[in-house]
Amino acid sequence: MGRCPRSPVETRPQGPQPGRRRRMGGAVGFVCTSLAVVTCVVWCQAQSSSRTYGPVFEEQPAHTLFPEGSAEEKVTLACRARASPPATYRWKMNGTELKMEPDSRYRLVAGDLVISNPVKAKDAGSYQCVASNSRGTVVSREASLRFGFLQEFSAEERDPVKITEGWGVMFACSPPPHYPGLSYRWLLNEFPNFIPADGRRFVSQTTGNLYIAKTEASDLGNYSCFATSHIDFITKSVFSKFSRLSLAAEDARQYAPSIKARFPADTYALAGQMVTLECFAFGNPVPRIKWRKLDGSQASKWISSEPLLQIQDVGFEDEGTYECEAENIKGRDTYQGRIIIQAQPEWLKVITDTEADIGSDLRWSCAAAGKPRPAVRWLRDGQPLTSQNRIEVSGGELRFSKLVLEDSGMYQCVAENKHGTVYASAELTVQALAPDFRLNPVKRLIPAARSGKVIIPCQPRAAPKATVLWTKGTELLINSSRVTITADGTLILQNISKSDEGKYTCFAENFMGKANSTGILSVRDATKITLAPSSADINVGENLTLQCHASHDPTMDLTFTWSLDDFPIDFDKSEGHYRRASVKEAVGDLTILNTQLKHSGRYTCTAQTVVDSASESATLTVRGPPGPPGGVVVRDIGDTSVQLSWSRGFDNHSPIARYLVEARTLLSNKWKQMRTNPVNIEGNAETAQVVNLIPWMDYEFRVLASNILGVGEPSLPSSKIRTKEAAPTVAPSGLGGGGGAPNELIINWTPTLRDYQNGDGFGYILSFRKKGTQGWLTARVPHAESLHYVYRNESIGPYTPFEVKIKAYNRKGEGPESLTAVVYSAEEEPKVAPSRVTAKAVLSSEMDVSWEPVEQGDMTGVLLGYEIRYWKDGDKEEAADRVRTAGLVTSAHVTGLNPNTKYHVSVRAYNRAGTGPPSPSTNVTTTKPPPRRPPGNISWTFSGSTVSIKWDPVVAHTDESAVTGYKMLYRQDSHSAPTLYLASKSRIDIPVPEDFTHAFVQIRVTGPGGDGVPAEVHILRNSGTSMMVEDSVTRPVPHAVIVTNSLVMLALIGYLEL
């Protein structure tokens, strides 16, 4: 009885995932998975309905660290396997099977091993899970159970340490017994005063020792080593007895470094881990630590922080000799050591689940990388497998000769070195089956085309492989010119005719039994291409239709497919370039839209039915702009020219007419077309000179080809080159200057851009002389970024004109001089004061000031304007307010003054250097303010087209300015333009229209002190009494002013504030 094969989607998660189970016949090659398993199968003749398979680990035990004294009372080691039927579990400790007795501290929970009240003396060791079912047995990876602990420091007092101040000192930590490793810090005098790692002090995380490179007075005190253990989420710390440090008299002498904390001569590390090397030295001054690799380049994974060198994710390229160098001004000290990289085993090749025929041969192999090189061994059902009878074991090779059913089972390949062990597993199923066509019978109806060929497979399931015979009706078929029976039993008939129709039967037999399967061959008309596609030439972007028509047997469906250079065309992924031109069954035309260069090639149209096909091909040539030239090489590099050469690219079926050369510099990523020699590069050229380049500039070049269809894609950029240096060819710009301190001449210019420096060692040469003199003074200013020069000399007078020139230089020579500019030396404050200063009060808070200007010949700089200073009588001049004018104006209007106040006023000239001496001061007294009371008792009367308005006169108080008249603002409504009336008395007559109904009026006093507060009334024709308007706020309004013999009327357009 044969067994049901395992589902092809089943996987084995232990290690790399297995491939699909493979059916093997004869000699078989294998590739391996993470655990090798082979299941013995019961011989069967029919497929079983149940699916069974051997154990596959889904969870395996992991290395476990258990803290001694933990509140946890148990340890759990996980194990879970997928299997059918379900697996049973056993556990081994140090290779010996554990007995799960009722009163034992060991118990199974599903597949997990639970150890109650773990004890280091009894339970520390290596554990392995064993999973079994009827198909076989597999063993898990080994997992260690270790116990973490940290004991207390020794209770013995530590000896005091005395050292000369300025010398180095080391405190030994001598940590107590512990597992695993610790982290270390040191306390000074008390907790938590931890000593920082500051370059002068260093705590080794290898030994715990404290190093002080150079002692100082602040180091006096008591020192204790503080050690911490980290196990999972449990942290425990202990600290040592204190050791007293005392210092003798200071020795200020300096001395060379001496390395005290050293990394091992040989440091072994596993690939992928982080490696840390320590190095610290005594010395005065405190030495600096440098690291280098002596036999190779420094890796980017280095993290160097003086005493430490850390290499992350270390690899075999990091193996080598490393040197630590300690250096100060008195000398240096070095130390060398090696890093040796090793690696845990890692699978390169694994085995996979396999089905093989009984009697066939099988070869399995697995291979692993690692350092040291891993040893490979094999297990069958969890037991060691060695060479015997038909089985040969040789390292990673396992060979079977003439498989028998008993070879079925679970197999494991194990690779191990001193750093670890990896397992790979697979299941071998040896099958013995009588021929069976139920899964793959001969096709019931076999259509074939007249004059064509038909292939009829015969593929029964059988183990071992069956012997096959074919018959047509009762006639036994043998190989002939038209009939072929292949080694795997397939029947091939060629040049088919109508007489070949009939029943064809395949007979299969092995020692397990026999079976047959029959199909009927039906001959149909052949498919033919009746209109074949024609070759064509078109330009990029044009459209084209390739025709293809066919005839076929009318009882069958016809389909068309197209291929380009033997690759099928996928219409859905053609980005809209391909589409079918017709929906008629016998027409398969192909339309190509917006053709591109990639669409060139041989197009094949295939007309196909289920029995045969016919094909015809045509060539499409798409003409377009040339492809990119290749291999751009730069040679003959000069200061302003280079020679380029390149190789021709594809002309894309249209001759290349000319080439263009582009370049870019490191200052700009933009490509620009360059001038060449010859100016026009012909299409048959492969070299040209590029001219008008900038000296001492980094360039990349590329070449583009063009034809009548356009410019093609550019070549890849050339390698970067730098043109040779040359003397500057452009004079610096922006020459000017001025300002500064007395006796100084400041010259400014715009720094020259990198594009125009033309060489290294760039700077500026200045030439200057006092205007009107003959000899030139020169100054050399290094550095391209310089932008000014200061010339100091006691003989330089204020605001003296100098003629100035500038030119650039580099190490190749000097460039041209600029045009001559005139620059003035530093200005001094004006020496002369304005004269004839007058001040006149205007209103109560304003005044006008005027003066005679200073003579330009007396100036020691450029006159910028005048400064008016004014202060109240009784105040000091230092407290004066200031107003400045600009330019040559000789008057100013000053506002914001206090009414009825005496002011002192002086005027000074000013320039960039400051203000000059003051003019003699003059006095002015502002006028009294206007009366603060508005007109009252306002009334009006109408007489025909006139309204008469009168009010009580306003009498000024002694502290107010006299009333010289009144201003009235008249507005008929909110939309009309207001009119301003001026009256000398307390009444006024105003003409009004016949339809007048109302108006708004504002009345206020006016006089030398300005305008007073307004009174606002609303005039109604039916009322002759005053009606005060609530909103009497003054506001700007457009108005006209009217003057008569008793009142003045002026026409004004604008807005006035009354």
Side-chain angles (χ1 to χ4, degrees):
M1 297 288 291
R3 71 173 180 86
C4 175
R6 183 152 8 132
S7 166
V9 298
E10 181 182 325
T11 60
R12 297 192 179 280
Q14 182 185 4
Q17 295 294 316
R20 186 175 57 187
R21 172 175 299 197
R22 295 181 296 169
R23 175 77 168 83
M24 307 300 296
V28 184
F30 283 59
V31 184
C32 141
T33 84
S34 198
L35 245 224
V37 189
V38 184
T39 303
C40 182
V41 205
V42 179
W43 169 27
C44 67
Q45 292 181 338
Q47 179 181 0
S48 170
S49 61
S50 63
R51 295 191 305 111
T52 61
Y53 53 89
V56 178
F57 282 117
E58 294 185 327
E59 189 174 10
Q60 299 187 62
H63 297 304
T64 302
L65 182 62
F66 184 79
E68 286 188 1
S70 170
E72 288 287 330
E73 298 179 350
K74 63 182 180 180
V75 170
T76 301
L77 298 175
C79 182
R80 182 164 53 90
R82 175 168 47 87
S84 180
T88 59
Y89 300 92
R90 294 175 288 127
W91 282 83
K92 293 181 179 181
M93 176 186 175
N94 297 332
T96 302
E97 186 169 337
L98 292 172
K99 295 183 179 180
M100 306 292 174
E101 298 177 351
D103 57 348
S104 170
R105 291 184 303 109
Y106 303 111
R107 60 191 176 92
L108 277 177
V109 178
D112 298 348
L113 174 64
V114 180
I115 307 174
S116 301
N117 302 315
V119 179
K120 178 180 178 181
K122 296 181 179 179
D123 300 320
S126 178
Y127 289 80
Q128 207 169 13
C129 175
V130 183
S132 304
N133 71 357
S134 58
R135 304 302 298 267
T137 298
V138 289
V139 296
S140 74
R141 65 189 177 207
E142 296 181 8
S144 64
L145 173 59
R146 305 188 70 169
F147 289 75
F149 65 95
L150 172 58
Q151 297 182 7
E152 297 290 333
F153 274 95
S154 169
E156 293 183 8
E157 295 294 333
R158 297 205 168 195
D159 294 334
V161 176
K162 186 172 183 178
I163 195 75
T164 300
E165 184 179 344
W167 293 9
V169 68
M170 184 271 287
F171 288 92
C173 179
S174 303
H178 60 275
Y179 182 83
L182 305 175
S183 62
Y184 299 96
R185 291 183 289 175
W186 279 77
L187 293 169
L188 177 57
N189 295 326
E190 62 183 358
F191 181 87
N193 186 22
F194 291 106
I195 296 173
D198 55 8
R200 187 175 67 88
R201 294 170 289 190
F202 171 65
V203 178
S204 169
Q205 296 303 309
T206 302
T207 63
N209 297 341
L210 167 65
Y211 297 85
I212 303 177
K214 170 182 169 289
T215 53
E216 298 176 352
S218 61
D219 295 326
L220 281 171
N222 299 305
Y223 290 79
S224 172
C225 182
F226 190 88
T228 302
S229 172
H230 302 276
I231 303 174
D232 292 334
F233 300 105
I234 299 176
T235 299
K236 179 181 179 182
S237 298
V238 295
F239 57 90
S240 69
K241 290 286 186 178
F242 282 91
S243 178
R244 176 74 180 174
L245 173 64
S246 57
L247 299 177
E250 180 180 6
D251 182 356
R253 291 178 298 173
Q254 297 180 334
Y255 60 94
S258 176
I259 295 177
K260 299 298 182 182
R262 302 179 174 184
F263 56 96
D266 289 329
T267 299
Y268 289 87
L270 289 180
Q273 294 182 341
M274 184 166 75
V275 176
T276 301
L277 304 182
E278 296 181 341
C279 182
F280 192 77
F282 294 171
N284 185 10
V286 176
R288 295 293 305 272
I289 303 296
K290 297 179 182 178
W291 294 90
R292 67 174 61 89
K293 187 180 181 187
L294 299 182
D295 46 2
S297 60
Q298 171 178 327
S300 59
K301 298 176 291 183
W302 281 25
I303 303 176
S304 178
S305 57
E306 294 262 332
L308 299 180
L309 171 64
Q310 293 180 316
I311 306 175
Q312 294 180 316
D313 189 21
V314 69
F316 288 103
E317 69 277 6
D318 297 309
E319 191 169 78
T321 301
Y322 290 76
E323 181 182 80
C324 157
E325 177 187 87
E327 183 178 19
N328 65 13
I329 60 176
K330 299 300 290 183
R332 58 191 290 269
D333 189 16
T334 61
Y335 175 76
Q336 297 176 1
R338 292 191 305 156
I339 293 180
I340 301 170
I341 307 300
Q342 299 197 334
Q344 298 174 333
E346 182 179 353
W347 287 119
L348 300 175
K349 183 180 181 183
V350 291
I351 53 177
T352 55
D353 293 348
T354 302
E355 293 177 347
D357 291 348
I358 189 171
S360 63
D361 296 336
L362 172 65
R363 174 180 170 271
W364 255 345
S365 64
C366 61
K371 187 178 179 183
R373 175 178 293 179
V376 179
R377 54 189 173 90
W378 292 82
L379 304 176
R380 179 168 65 183
D381 289 333
Q383 300 300 318
L385 181 63
T386 58
S387 296
Q388 51 183 294
N389 300 329
R390 299 170 298 97
I391 301 174
E392 181 184 353
V393 178
S394 177
E397 297 285 333
L398 173 61
R399 295 185 182 88
F400 295 86
S401 299
K402 300 190 181 301
L403 285 167
V404 297
L405 294 177
E406 290 74 15
D407 292 327
S408 297
M410 308 292 291
Y411 287 76
Q412 289 177 281
C413 178
V414 185
E416 55 192 343
N417 65 12
K418 66 180 181 179
H419 300 300
T421 304
V422 290
Y423 290 75
S425 74
E427 181 174 359
L428 173 62
T429 303
V430 179
Q431 299 185 116
L433 302 172
D436 187 349
F437 282 99
R438 284 178 295 178
L439 290 180
N440 198 14
V442 173
K443 192 174 180 181
R444 209 81 184 119
L445 178 63
I446 309 166
R450 193 186 311 271
S451 302
K453 180 174 74 173
V454 67
I455 299 174
I456 310 174
C458 178
Q459 298 173 333
R461 186 180 181 202
K465 181 180 176 181
T467 302
V468 172
L469 297 174
W470 279 93
T471 63
K472 177 190 176 188
T474 59
E475 176 189 358
L476 179 67
L477 298 177
I478 60 174
N479 287 336
S480 66
S481 59
R482 290 198 317 112
V483 178
T484 302
I485 302 174
T486 65
D488 65 356
T490 298
L491 173 63
I492 302 174
L493 303 177
Q494 301 189 66
N495 194 19
I496 291 174
S497 63
K498 197 68 175 176
S499 61
D500 291 320
E501 289 186 332
K503 291 184 178 181
Y504 289 79
T505 302
C506 173
F507 293 88
E509 181 178 6
N510 65 11
F511 76 91
M512 297 293 299
K514 62 180 67 177
N516 62 75
S517 181
T518 300
I520 299 174
L521 178 67
S522 174
V523 179
R524 311 291 175 88
D525 291 339
T527 303
K528 296 179 181 179
I529 299 292
T530 57
L531 179 59
S534 301
S535 296
D537 289 5
I538 61 174
N539 294 333
V540 166
E542 295 180 348
N543 302 333
L544 174 73
T545 296
L546 296 175
Q547 294 181 309
C548 185
H549 299 186
S551 62
H552 67 292
D553 191 298
T555 64
M556 311 188 76
D557 292 332
L558 177 69
T559 59
F560 288 90
T561 60
W562 285 87
S563 64
L564 172 59
D565 294 332
D566 299 326
F567 288 96
I569 293 175
D570 187 335
F571 288 83
D572 294 331
K573 297 180 180 179
S574 69
E575 300 176 344
H577 290 291
Y578 294 116
R579 75 178 185 193
R580 300 189 183 277
S582 174
V583 294
K584 295 180 180 179
E585 184 182 23
V587 178
D589 295 354
L590 172 68
T591 296
I592 309 174
L593 303 172
N594 187 23
T595 53
Q596 303 298 306
L597 293 172
K598 64 182 179 181
H599 296 138
S600 293
R602 185 171 60 89
Y603 284 81
T604 300
C605 171
T606 301
Q608 187 169 8
T609 65
V610 294
V611 298
D612 70 338
S613 63
S615 299
E616 290 290 346
S617 298
T619 299
L620 173 62
T621 300
V622 181
R623 305 183 188 278
V632 178
V633 176
V634 187
R635 54 186 175 84
D636 298 341
I637 300 170
D639 55 359
T640 60
S641 66
V642 297
Q643 193 73 25
L644 289 189
S645 61
W646 60 89
S647 58
R648 286 176 61 87
F650 293 109
D651 63 9
N652 290 329
H653 314 294
S654 179
I656 297 173
R658 61 187 293 243
Y659 287 99
L660 304 174
V661 175
E662 293 182 339
R664 67 180 177 188
T665 69
L666 294 185
L667 302 178
S668 170
N669 282 327
K670 187 176 181 181
W671 291 94
K672 297 181 180 179
Q673 186 172 341
M674 305 303 292
R675 292 190 177 183
T676 58
N677 183 18
V679 175
N680 294 315
I681 308 172
E682 299 296 332
N684 58 357
E686 294 187 8
T687 183
Q689 185 183 43
V690 186
V691 297
N692 288 6
L693 300 178
I694 300 172
W696 197 55
M697 182 59 66
D698 296 318
Y699 281 99
E700 289 179 296
F701 298 93
R702 68 182 187 183
V703 180
L704 304 88
S706 66
N707 57 22
I708 60 172
L709 297 175
V711 179
E713 292 293 318
S715 68
L716 292 175
S718 69
S719 57
K720 294 183 178 67
I721 63 97
R722 176 172 289 184
T723 51
K724 292 183 178 180
E725 296 178 271
T729 55
V730 176
S733 61
L735 187 60
N743 309 121
E744 284 186 351
L745 172 66
I746 296 181
I747 304 172
N748 301 326
W749 62 91
T750 303
T752 300
L753 298 176
R754 170 68 175 80
D755 306 43
Y756 304 106
Q757 293 173 17
N758 288 9
D760 203 2
F762 187 86
Y764 306 92
I765 298 175
L766 290 163
S767 300
F768 52 94
R769 66 184 178 187
K770 187 175 179 179
K771 192 170 183 180
T773 61
Q774 295 299 315
W776 291 90
L777 297 174
T778 60
R780 207 173 184 90
V781 183
H783 309 307
E785 61 274 13
S786 300
L787 46 75
H788 73 273
Y789 172 73
V790 180
Y791 172 62
R792 296 180 179 88
N793 193 298
E794 295 295 330
S795 65
I796 299 178
Y799 203 55
T800 301
F802 281 79
E803 293 179 312
V804 179
K805 298 185 293 186
I806 189 172
K807 60 183 175 182
Y809 72 89
N810 59 25
R811 63 185 182 186
K812 283 293 184 179
E814 299 175 359
E817 279 190 321
S818 68
L819 296 175
T820 301
V822 175
V823 177
Y824 286 82
S825 63
E827 301 178 30
E828 288 185 0
E829 299 91 343
K831 302 301 183 184
V832 180
S835 60
R836 296 187 180 180
V837 177
T838 61
K840 181 180 178 182
V842 180
L843 302 181
S844 60
S845 60
E846 301 174 9
M847 66 177 174
D848 287 330
V849 182
S850 61
W851 59 90
E852 289 292 333
V854 296
E855 294 294 335
Q856 290 295 325
D858 297 331
M859 294 302 295
T860 55
V862 177
L863 177 66
L864 298 181
Y866 295 90
E867 181 178 280
I868 299 92
R869 297 189 184 186
Y870 54 97
W871 62 99
K872 296 177 184 177
D873 188 35
D875 289 349
K876 293 183 178 180
E877 184 178 355
E878 290 76 10
D881 290 319
R882 306 179 185 193
V883 173
R884 280 193 168 187
T885 66
L888 303 179
V889 298
T890 58
S891 64
H893 184 72
V894 181
T895 61
L897 305 177
N898 292 336
N900 197 24
T901 303
K902 182 178 180 181
Y903 283 91
H904 299 278
V905 181
S906 70
V907 182
R908 304 169 184 240
Y910 73 90
N911 60 18
R912 280 190 289 265
T915 55
S919 68
S921 64
T922 187
N923 302 326
V924 64
T925 300
T926 54
T927 62
K928 296 177 183 179
R932 288 180 281 277
R933 298 170 309 288
N937 197 20
I938 303 172
S939 63
W940 56 89
T941 58
F942 286 90
S943 176
S945 60
T946 301
V947 60
S948 295
I949 304 172
K950 62 181 179 178
W951 56 90
D952 290 343
V954 177
V955 179
H957 293 166
T958 56
D959 60 346
E960 296 175 336
S961 63
V963 176
T964 60
Y966 298 87
K967 290 182 179 179
M968 186 182 74
L969 189 69
Y970 171 87
R971 187 174 72 246
Q972 187 166 339
D973 55 50
S974 59
H975 302 293
S976 61
T979 304
L980 178 66
Y981 295 90
L982 301 180
S984 59
K985 297 180 181 180
S986 59
R987 63 167 292 152
I988 190 171
D989 295 331
I990 302 173
V992 295
E994 292 292 336
D995 58 351
F996 174 88
T997 58
H998 68 94
F1000 293 96
V1001 173
Q1002 281 185 1
I1003 304 172
R1004 72 184 73 202
V1005 300
T1006 185
D1011 296 338
V1013 177
E1016 184 168 340
V1017 294
H1018 188 189
I1019 297 176
L1020 300 174
R1021 177 178 284 276
N1022 296 329
S1023 173
T1025 59
S1026 172
M1027 296 183 61
M1028 302 299 294
V1029 178
E1030 292 182 4
D1031 182 10
S1032 60
V1033 176
T1034 303
R1035 54 185 177 271
V1037 290
H1039 62 274
V1041 179
I1042 303 172
V1043 180
T1044 65
N1045 58 353
S1046 62
L1047 52 97
V1048 183
M1049 198 182 342
L1050 302 173
L1052 299 174
I1053 303 298
Y1055 283 90
L1056 294 180
E1057 183 173 7
L1058 300 180

